[in-house]
Amino acid sequence: MTENYNKKARTANVNGDTGKNDDNGILEVQGNNDDTNDSIIKSTEISFAGMGVDIAGVKFKNPVTVASGTFGSGAEYGDFVDLSALGAVTTKGVANIPWAGNQTPRIAETYGGMMNAIGLQNPGIDVFCERDIPFLNNYDTNIIVNVCGKTEADYVEVVERLADEKVELLEINVSCPNVKEGGIAFGPDPKALESITKAVKAKAKQPIIMKLSPNVTDITVMAKAAEAGGADAISLINTLTGMKIDINRRSFSVANKTGGVSGPAIKPIAVRMVYQVANAVKLPIIGMGGIMNYEDAIEFMMAGATVVSVGTANFHNPFVTLDILEGIKKFMDEKGIKDINEIIGCVK
Amino acid sequence: MSATKITAKVVRQDQIATDIYSLILEAGAVAVNAKAGQFVSLYSKDGSNLLPRPISLCEINKDKGTIRLVYRVVGKGTKEFSKLREGDKIDVMGPLGNGFNQKSKRAILIGGGIGIPPMLELAKELKCEKSIVLGFRDETFLLNDMNRIEGEVYIASEDGKTGVKGTVLDAIREYDVKGDIIYACGPTPMLKAIREYAFENYMEAQLSLEEKMACGIGACLACVCKSTEVDEHSHVNNKRICKDGPVFDAGEVEL
Ligand SMILES: Cc1cc2nc3c(=O)[nH]c(=O)nc-3n(C[C@H](O)[C@H](O)[C@H](O)COP(=O)(O)OP(=O)(O)OC[C@H]3O[C@@H](n4cnc5c(N)ncnc54)[C@H](O)[C@@H]3O)c2cc1C
Ligand SMILES: Cc1cc2nc3c(=O)[nH]c(=O)nc-3n(C[C@H](O)[C@H](O)[C@H](O)COP(=O)(O)O)c2cc1C
Ligand code: FES
């Protein structure tokens, strides 16, 4: 039956040194592959030699992660891709307590992208620590925990709760456009952003990534505020606030009226902002916004991103992260790039 | 029952009513692992339409490794799919969702409009005594297939041209259709009415729900419905239609 599949199960040949793989360096394909299932988890055979990068002292075996909120905590996509092939898994925003999120419809397709107003539905930090962190620690990948909150105290509570957990980095979402208090108050205000960065940094044991909103006039002002507050890295962009109207029903396409636009339609804006921030601050950048393929990923890196996150593209192709990794490798081989760090910010 | 994504080959496609198409795909593992009430995600080739289109399995042929989908053209994606011809390729992910929890109890299968297709596969899989109740606006479709199934078929139509004039519940009352469990798929107002009917008559009912989807596999939390029980994912009474559903017990969800 295997010949019918166009995506074959393969094992990852990871030459990583993070120690979660077994002796011969071959990772077991993980997931629900018991005998009765025809589980087809795709991995990659490429070697990640020359693809290692570093964010705030945390080593990534390759520069590809997933964008928060598009990949859950990895469990669902783990049925499709070997999570150990990723440089990191970035989890859905988690708050101090469970959040129910917005009314439906929560999403709408837009030309070359989508609009979402999920409203940060999440199980809260307790369930996350009990269930999602141990699950992800079965894989040989970094864990980036995306944190959301309504007040500064909420963020600090989550960060403190994570202090002794086995996760590599914290991404502070101060830019969700879909929740009235989902950090959006901090998003466009440099003083508030600097203050929350300081507050979180004071309690955090892991390096802090501040995730910036693109819904501002000058992104560099915000990046500088995060840097002044002591951030270790910056990620951008979150979604752009948009609106879609269903003309037949004379109503908004998402219940929240407005939603965050993501996908390839926003990519040029994201690349421009990554470039501007790369030239305004010294912090490493995790770049995202519409990455669909390896060319897009390399474009973000050349603009100044050290790591790239793939979001909406996962909905179109659950294997996209692996396709991007293979594409980057091929690009490096073809262009004679020995170390991926060469291209980070190479376009001035 | 794990899902996969494949490039499927079109075996044939026929228009079976105004704007309604029947598509048969050679779908290997997707067919082999599937059961009634599950669905697949179909992907557009046009890069401006990024999100998958969820379509229910209308028939599953495990021996041939084929699936049959019956869908109505309502927008860009379904319009593109309606142009597929024998030998064409299309990306498919599935089987997705839980499917009906089939019980050996006297069953009433209710399909309304474009909710009818999944009832065909369910009718084929259910080996117990069953009645099938179908609701149409005006034009009928899939009737020949339904009539081939063992079990009575009752029809309601809004214009009254076929069967009882009115809703599926009017047909159930008119023909005094009896059963111990209802399986239903169709528009939300119909499902609401069936839910009430099942409660009033102390009947078990399973309802197949619909919502806009992005991932189709339970990761993005786009497709939730209000549930009476705490959900397993976020513990906030929001079940994911794509993963925990699309089929729910009537008492499990609020409509
Ligand atoms: C579990 C499930 C099973 C379904 N089974 C069938 C079936 O067997 N036959 C059938 O004809 N239709 C079915 N539908 C509805 C079908 O998914 C939509 O009609 C289809 O997605 C419309 O796509 P479009 O590009 O033509 O329309 P557009 O309006 O252009 O679509 C725009 C976006 O909205 C989404 N969308 C639009 N209408 C719906 C809808 N009713 N439900 C969910 N998403 C929608 C699309 O997927 C797309 O992302 C099912 C829906 C669900 C959730
Ligand atoms: C459905 C959905 C849910 C998201 N949830 C979150 C979230 O919880 N936290 C967050 O910081 N960003 C969230 N985002 C934003 C993404 O992480 C990312 O910044 C944005 O989508 C741009 O990348 P993309 O175009 O590759 O999707 C979400 C995006 C989508 C589409
Ligand atoms: S569509 Fe993503 S959770 Fe259901």
Side-chain angles (χ1 to χ4, degrees):
Chain A
M1 218 164 51
T2 329
E3 58 274 13
N4 290 334
Y5 306 150
N6 65 335
K7 300 286 182 187
K8 293 198 299 281
R10 285 179 273 159
T11 45
N13 182 3
V14 186
N15 56 346
D17 50 7
T18 25
K20 287 186 214 164
N21 46 342
D22 69 14
D23 293 336
N24 54 18
I26 304 294
L27 278 163
E28 292 260 21
V29 175
Q30 316 226 12
N32 58 347
N33 50 352
D34 54 89
D35 298 342
T36 52
N37 285 338
D38 291 296
S39 173
I40 312 153
I41 297 167
K42 198 192 173 202
S43 192
T44 177
E45 283 159 353
I46 64 167
S47 142
F48 296 131
M51 289 175 85
V53 293
D54 182 304
I55 296 260
V58 177
K59 301 260 175 289
F60 285 62
K61 67 181 154 217
N62 67 57
V64 176
T65 184
V66 288
S68 173
T70 63
F71 210 74
S73 286
E76 292 81 14
Y77 278 97
D79 291 347
F80 292 85
V81 293
D82 176 10
L83 304 179
S84 296
L86 303 176
V89 170
T90 308
T91 59
K92 170 77 186 165
V94 62
N96 54 336
I97 52 166
W99 287 11
N102 290 330
Q103 299 294 310
T104 54
R106 290 178 167 185
I107 59 148
E109 191 176 63
T110 58
Y111 197 92
M114 64 179 285
M115 205 174 85
N116 91 81
I118 307 291
L120 291 171
Q121 177 182 327
N122 77 85
I125 190 66
D126 290 339
V127 172
F128 184 81
C129 289
E130 277 156 36
R131 177 185 66 194
D132 298 343
I133 297 177
F135 168 79
L136 282 171
N137 271 312
N138 290 324
Y139 294 89
D140 178 25
T141 188
N142 289 331
I143 303 172
I144 305 178
V145 180
N146 183 281
V147 178
C148 58
K150 292 184 172 144
T151 62
E152 201 168 280
D154 291 353
Y155 284 94
V156 170
E157 188 182 336
V158 177
V159 166
E160 282 184 311
R161 186 79 172 69
L162 287 165
D164 298 319
E165 295 287 340
K166 217 166 151 272
V167 302
E168 277 72 23
L169 290 147
L170 309 183
E171 181 179 58
I172 312 299
N173 177 14
V174 285
S175 49
C176 180
N178 303 323
V179 185
K180 276 189 201 73
E181 297 139 309
I184 197 65
F186 309 102
D189 176 352
K191 282 215 175 64
L193 176 63
E194 184 178 335
S195 147
I196 192 169
T197 308
K198 274 192 183 134
V200 163
K201 186 64 196 163
K203 299 289 180 193
K205 288 212 185 135
Q206 294 90 349
I208 291 293
I209 307 159
M210 296 307 288
K211 184 162 179 179
L212 301 186
S213 168
N215 302 307
V216 294
T217 314
D218 185 351
I219 193 80
T220 64
V221 173
M222 306 311 296
K224 284 175 185 156
E227 188 174 47
D232 300 289
I234 283 173
S235 63
L236 77 164
I237 61 175
N238 208 317
T239 52
L240 283 150
T241 305
M243 182 178 279
K244 182 173 177 176
I245 287 169
D246 182 333
I247 59 166
N248 294 312
R249 294 206 173 87
R250 297 192 182 200
S251 66
F252 300 100
S253 293
V254 297
N256 190 52
K257 297 186 184 173
T258 60
V261 183
S262 62
I266 68 166
K267 197 192 76 175
I269 300 164
V271 172
R272 182 260 295 174
M273 289 191 168
V274 166
Y275 175 82
Q276 286 178 311
V277 170
N279 288 287
V281 296
K282 296 209 170 59
L283 303 177
I285 294 170
I286 301 182
M288 72 198 88
I291 296 175
M292 293 296 289
N293 50 43
Y294 80 91
E295 290 97 327
D296 296 341
I298 287 170
E299 192 179 344
F300 272 82
M301 294 188 80
M302 289 186 172
T306 299
V307 164
V308 292
S309 309
V310 183
T312 302
N314 291 297
F315 304 149
H316 185 67
N317 171 13
F319 304 109
V320 69
T321 42
L322 301 178
D323 294 348
I324 289 173
L325 281 167
E326 287 173 6
I328 294 176
K329 187 73 189 171
K330 195 166 134 262
F331 183 83
M332 289 173 70
D333 290 346
E334 277 169 15
K335 307 280 176 187
I337 301 164
K338 294 261 168 336
D339 180 353
I340 192 80
N341 289 285
E342 268 176 45
I343 68 163
I344 297 171
C346 71
V347 177
K348 294 286 178 217
Chain B
M1 203 95 73
S2 73
T4 186
K5 189 181 174 209
I6 60 159
T7 301
K9 198 163 99 189
V10 175
V11 178
R12 63 178 294 166
Q13 169 143 266
D14 302 283
Q15 183 168 6
I16 59 171
T18 310
D19 289 336
I20 297 184
Y21 290 79
S22 163
L23 176 64
I24 297 177
L25 298 175
E26 204 177 285
V30 176
V32 170
N33 292 324
K35 67 169 190 165
Q38 291 190 297
F39 66 97
V40 292
S41 276
L42 295 186
Y43 296 83
S44 164
K45 287 192 184 65
D46 179 342
S48 68
N49 309 326
L50 282 182
L51 299 181
R53 271 59 182 165
I55 304 287
S56 301
L57 293 163
C58 171
E59 285 189 84
I60 304 160
N61 187 326
K62 294 193 194 232
D63 297 332
K64 289 191 187 155
T66 58
I67 54 175
R68 181 187 188 193
L69 309 174
V70 168
Y71 61 92
R72 174 177 278 141
V73 172
V74 296
K76 293 181 293 178
T78 46
K79 182 157 194 182
E80 177 189 320
F81 305 148
S82 73
K83 307 231 161 72
L84 290 168
R85 293 292 167 264
E86 184 186 337
D88 288 350
K89 300 277 168 63
I90 178 164
D91 282 355
V92 179
M93 179 156 80
L96 302 173
N98 57 356
F100 289 101
N101 179 7
Q102 299 175 28
K103 305 266 177 86
S104 35
K105 283 186 183 177
R106 204 165 41 136
I108 307 177
L109 284 65
I110 308 177
I114 205 62
I116 291 171
M119 302 329 269
L120 178 56
E121 177 61 25
L122 180 65
K124 287 169 67 183
E125 288 181 18
L126 274 180
K127 296 298 173 220
C128 56
E129 197 188 315
K130 58 190 169 255
S131 311
I132 301 166
V133 186
L134 307 176
F136 297 96
R137 198 179 308 147
D138 36 45
E139 199 182 357
T140 61
F141 58 93
L142 283 180
L143 273 189
N144 289 339
D145 301 80
M146 290 291 186
N147 283 326
R148 254 180 253 129
I149 308 276
E150 212 174 294
E152 266 326 296
V153 178
Y154 305 95
I155 296 168
S157 59
E158 278 173 31
D159 65 359
K161 284 217 182 82
T162 323
V164 171
K165 181 172 164 64
T167 67
V168 285
L169 283 178
D170 293 328
I172 287 176
R173 291 191 186 104
E174 171 89 20
Y175 297 116
D176 195 24
V177 180
K178 290 262 183 281
D180 303 310
I181 181 168
I182 291 173
Y183 303 95
C185 183
T188 307
M190 178 191 107
L191 296 180
K192 270 189 186 158
I194 290 173
R195 188 170 178 268
E196 286 303 305
Y197 179 85
F199 287 162
E200 280 161 20
N201 293 281
Y202 304 100
M203 288 173 78
E204 201 178 331
Q206 292 179 23
L207 313 174
S208 180
L209 309 188
E210 226 181 66
E211 189 47 80
K212 295 266 159 75
M213 295 184 178
C215 69
I217 59 171
C220 74
L221 308 177
C223 67
V224 298
C225 62
K226 286 268 156 267
S227 57
T228 44
E229 306 156 24
V230 158
D231 66 277
E232 172 224 333
H233 181 277
S234 306
H235 302 228
V236 289
N237 300 57
N238 271 348
K239 294 208 175 179
R240 297 162 296 177
I241 292 177
C242 69
K243 179 90 177 178
D244 309 318
V247 181
F248 295 96
D249 281 329
E252 195 185 347
V253 289
E254 284 159 27
L255 289 177

